Amino acid sequence: MSETGRLRNLLAEQLGECCDADVQERLDSLAALDEAVDGPRSADLAALKTLGDETRHRVVRLLVAADRDLCVCELDPLLDVSESAVSHALSDLADAGLVTRRKEGTWHYYRPTDRATDLVAALDGTRGNR
């Protein structure tokens, strides 16, 4: 069966009959769908991959819960990793667009981006009472 043979069978079942134009129309709509999801894919994968690490995930959750900017020295006592590892995690989170940073003198402060806050809320919302 050709690559489109199963698609043709599906369309024939859905439409009652199927012609080449029906198959092409569906292929065109699927190609548009593919293009629509392809654009944001790399940014989404980077964000999800970054949150897939336990330390980075915890840092984002702490920043979201704090509802204010936090310094590395404030995060360090809450995490069971070195201050260097905390700094590295924050750098990765910034690269993924999940935290912003600002410097005041020698101190570096971090806050979650709206995207990070939304992702945490979405994750929380999916747990529910299942």
Side-chain angles (χ1 to χ4, degrees), residues 52-109:
D53 172 81
E54 185 175 344
T55 300
R56 294 187 296 254
H57 181 259
R58 183 147 171 82
V59 167
V60 165
R61 285 200 166 273
L62 289 167
L63 290 171
V64 168
D67 200 29
R68 66 179 176 86
D69 296 4
L70 293 178
C71 178
V72 174
C73 65
E74 295 175 293
L75 290 166
D76 186 44
L78 303 173
L79 302 164
D80 194 26
V81 295
S82 68
E83 189 171 326
S84 171
V86 174
S87 293
H88 186 74
L90 286 161
S91 179
D92 290 344
L93 289 164
D95 290 346
L98 297 173
V99 301
T100 59
R101 52 185 156 202
R102 67 180 171 81
K103 184 176 179 182
E104 275 187 29
T106 59
W107 305 106
H108 292 256
Y109 294 91

